Amino acid sequence: MGLLAMLAASDNHTRKRRWLEEKLWSDRASEQARGSLRTTLVDIRKSLGNFADILGSDRSSVWLDSTRIETDLEDSDSSREFLEGLVIPDPEFTDWLMRQRMTLRRPSGTNRPEAHLPARVTIQCGEPWNLSTAASVKPQIVNDQVGKIITDFIAISRRTITETTADLVIRTSIEEEDRGATILVQVIDPIRDEIVHTDHCFADDLSSFLRSQELLGRFCWNVADLTLEKLPGLQRTQSPLVTRSAHVQKALRKVLTFDAAEMRSSLEVLDLANDEMDAGLYLALKAWAMTSMIMEGFLVEDAASLEEISALLARAEELSPGDPMMAAVSANVQAILFERHDNAIGLARRALRENPNNLFALQAMSVGRAARGELEQAYALSQQSKSISALSKFEAMCNLHHALLCISLQRTEEAVASSKLAAERSPAYRAPRRQLIGLHAAQDKTGESLKLVNELKTIETDFNIERYLFDHSYPSNTLRKSGYLDRARQTLSGRK
């Protein structure tokens, strides 16, 4: 269906063979792609039966007989989306499909600014391949890692080594001395020839630093996170790079305040982003935002909410089947909300294969491993996400996740430390304060526990200790399952 639609959508119902090969089999070598096209043409002709001759081809092109076909591509009254439900896991096809949907969705003669949004955003990571040397391999590791994180958060984006058309350029230089190394990263706006963000760090042992997922990941996540925050400030009119980054970072900031009004507002931001460009990433992030609201008690976990979140994830997979960040965010929701751990592990593995420092995927994989009883692996994954997030806006979220895992593992002091850090980093965050109340009470630290009860009441005005201790609908499941709440009852029952 995809190939026929690509022919039908062209002006003369004809496409070059090479164009089709690049759009449908971009991950294959030229000879393999040519063979796949030949096989597909044979299969299509067989399925067309007596009408097989409407599909023509020669050594350079493939076409449909224009005199014998009709299309509804210009039907403005159609309520269905172009190629609705079709999934072909190739990024080049996905890019073309989104562009086509945007074109068909716009009324004739429209001049909407967002008409340009589907353009692919390219991030140049380091030097072009023909300028590479042995000395540039180490800087390229940093360039590549920063580039992966930035592209992950910008829908329809790709890392590149081209010199002339990149939207953003990442350059790393490393100076090695006997006592260690200095690493400098610059993220450059090539349009205005300005530095968007720059950062540096020192490593006593450069090889150990580059081999460490935690050390390298923390540095690169911080560089990428601050770059993404600064991109909306670029003075570029209607730039896809700026627009997409602005939507995603604004929504993330709102969710990570853990304030009810701000979290609700994040859904509007993501709806606006999706109106401008139908991208799986935006839908997956909306599902994640709604899940975060359920965890904080700002959204009822009823059948309607769960159905909406499931539909968002399904649609996200349809739109962006090859998007690693979409897979990571979806895995996070599947693991935490739906407890579909096998599915979550599969999605997280897809994302981690592309970027081993994806925080959303690390968390999902950790939850999945814990559910399988693989506790050491779950702990290591959670520790990695906690360490990587230390300088970013995700720090509170990752520390809360680590605290919950440590509660399950009876690592009380570590759970207390991570909960405290999460609460300090996000003043409106209810979840870590809930954990601390039970943890301190279980340690017979009544004064500290009651102090936190009063603190929580300032942000959760309907909080009461009886409900916390005895109502199974109150979000204290991890404390309850791990036995901490039973111990807390002995200390707090009857207290106000």
Side-chain angles (χ1 to χ4, degrees):
M1 178 185 288
L3 187 146
L4 292 177
M6 296 173 107
L7 297 175
S10 67
D11 292 338
N12 58 0
H13 300 156
T14 301
R15 300 284 189 187
K16 293 293 186 182
R17 279 180 174 267
R18 187 58 186 151
W19 187 91
L20 291 169
E21 291 162 9
E22 289 174 348
K23 292 292 181 286
L24 294 169
W25 300 282
S26 66
D27 60 339
R28 301 185 187 180
S30 297
E31 188 58 42
Q32 290 178 307
R34 284 194 291 271
S36 296
L37 178 57
R38 286 194 299 269
T39 301
T40 300
L41 292 175
V42 170
D43 291 341
I44 291 175
R45 289 191 176 103
K46 286 180 181 179
S47 67
L48 290 173
N50 294 333
F51 300 97
D53 59 337
I54 69 171
L55 177 62
S57 62
D58 59 22
R59 295 183 64 180
S60 64
S61 302
V62 180
W63 62 86
L64 292 172
D65 186 342
S66 299
T67 65
R68 299 172 61 191
I69 66 168
E70 292 182 5
T71 74
D72 62 354
L73 296 180
E74 304 302 324
D75 182 3
S76 60
D77 296 327
S78 176
S79 61
R80 301 194 63 186
E81 192 166 46
F82 179 61
L83 296 185
E84 185 173 320
L86 178 65
V87 177
I88 296 179
D90 188 292
E92 288 294 333
F93 177 81
T94 301
D95 187 26
W96 173 83
L97 181 58
M98 286 190 175
R99 291 171 183 264
Q100 197 68 25
R101 284 172 174 170
M102 287 298 299
T103 300
L104 295 173
R105 187 180 300 165
R106 294 194 296 273
S108 178
T110 186
N111 233 0
R112 293 191 308 168
E114 63 267 27
H116 300 293
L117 279 180
R120 185 181 291 280
V121 171
T122 55
I123 313 296
Q124 184 183 334
C125 304
E127 300 290 344
W129 66 269
N130 57 334
L131 298 181
S132 296
T133 63
S136 69
V137 172
K138 291 176 181 177
Q140 187 61 29
I141 292 173
V142 181
N143 291 329
D144 190 59
Q145 185 63 40
V146 174
K148 282 180 179 179
I149 297 166
I150 293 175
T151 55
D152 276 351
F153 282 104
I154 301 174
I156 312 184
S157 59
R158 175 169 290 182
R159 285 172 289 130
T160 179
I161 54 172
T162 180
E163 280 284 3
T164 58
T165 61
D167 297 281
L168 207 64
V169 175
I170 300 167
R171 290 279 189 269
T172 297
S173 58
I174 298 178
E175 182 178 343
E176 294 189 72
E177 299 176 342
D178 293 339
R179 293 177 296 175
T182 303
I183 304 162
L184 172 68
V185 181
Q186 292 181 317
V187 185
I188 302 161
D189 175 3
I191 305 299
R192 299 177 63 85
D193 196 25
E194 293 179 357
I195 294 175
V196 179
H197 179 65
T198 184
D199 202 353
H200 69 276
C201 68
F202 303 99
D204 293 333
D205 185 321
L206 181 61
S207 294
S208 297
F209 175 86
L210 294 175
R211 289 191 179 98
S212 169
Q213 295 291 359
E214 293 186 9
L215 295 176
L216 177 65
R218 181 190 308 159
F219 177 66
C220 292
W221 261 89
N222 185 51
V223 172
D225 191 46
L226 290 174
T227 298
L228 287 162
E229 290 288 351
K230 292 177 180 179
L231 287 180
L234 297 183
Q235 299 301 310
R236 294 195 195 173
T237 304
Q238 301 164 7
S239 162
L241 173 75
V242 170
T243 303
R244 293 174 201 168
S245 180
H247 286 318
V248 171
Q249 297 308 308
K250 183 177 181 180
L252 286 170
R253 282 196 305 273
K254 286 178 174 292
V255 174
L256 295 172
T257 64
F258 301 103
D259 172 82
E262 288 290 284
M263 293 182 87
R264 280 191 287 271
S265 177
S266 74
L267 305 183
E268 298 173 6
V269 174
L270 291 167
D271 282 339
L272 174 62
N274 195 57
D275 286 344
E276 291 178 342
M277 187 186 68
D278 220 4
L281 175 61
Y282 298 140
L283 299 180
L285 283 171
K286 184 176 180 181
W288 170 77
M290 293 176 68
T291 299
S292 300
M293 292 173 68
I294 288 174
M295 297 297 106
E296 283 295 283
F298 301 144
L299 183 65
V300 178
E301 187 179 350
D302 57 13
S305 295
L306 295 177
E307 184 178 350
E308 182 179 357
I309 292 171
S310 288
L312 287 168
L313 295 180
R315 181 63 177 148
E317 180 69 26
E318 288 178 6
L319 287 172
S320 306
D323 186 335
M325 182 55 81
M326 182 284 301
V329 176
S330 180
N332 201 274
V333 176
Q334 299 278 7
I336 293 171
L337 181 63
F338 294 111
E339 298 184 355
R340 299 169 185 161
H341 298 119
D342 288 344
N343 192 21
I345 287 173
L347 288 166
R349 187 176 286 117
R350 273 170 49 189
L352 292 172
R353 189 179 298 122
E354 175 67 24
N355 180 6
N357 291 318
N358 188 306
L359 295 180
F360 289 90
L362 287 170
Q363 279 193 357
M365 185 69 81
S366 174
V367 173
R369 294 297 188 195
R372 289 182 174 182
E374 299 166 357
L375 301 182
E376 289 187 11
Q377 290 171 289
Y379 177 82
L381 290 161
S382 179
Q383 181 64 39
Q384 183 180 345
S385 72
K386 174 180 177 289
S387 178
I388 291 169
S389 71
L391 299 174
S392 74
K393 58 177 169 287
F394 300 94
E395 185 175 19
M397 177 187 79
C398 291
N399 271 277
L400 186 275
H401 169 81
H402 192 66
L404 293 172
L405 181 62
C406 287
I407 289 170
S408 298
L409 298 176
Q410 301 291 317
R411 292 173 174 259
T412 305
E413 293 301 330
E414 195 170 350
V416 168
S418 287
S419 295
K420 282 184 176 179
L421 189 54
E424 290 169 2
R425 294 294 184 268
S426 186
Y429 206 176
R430 301 179 180 197
R433 290 168 172 80
R434 293 168 181 158
Q435 312 312 319
L436 285 169
I437 290 170
L439 290 168
H440 284 319
Q443 294 175 305
D444 293 322
K445 297 180 179 179
T446 308
E448 292 183 41
S449 186
L450 292 177
K451 181 182 177 181
L452 279 157
V453 167
N454 293 328
E455 184 178 319
L456 184 56
K457 284 181 178 178
T458 64
I459 56 177
E460 187 176 339
T461 54
D462 60 347
F463 176 85
N464 70 78
I465 197 69
E466 296 301 314
R467 183 184 174 212
Y468 175 83
L469 293 173
F470 299 104
D471 187 348
H472 281 243
S473 67
Y474 190 80
S476 300
N477 288 338
T478 305
L479 290 169
R480 186 176 294 108
K481 291 177 181 178
S482 302
Y484 284 95
L485 210 55
D486 286 335
R487 283 177 267 165
R489 287 193 192 101
Q490 300 172 21
T491 303
L492 297 178
S493 288
R495 298 274 186 174
K496 302 296 181 183

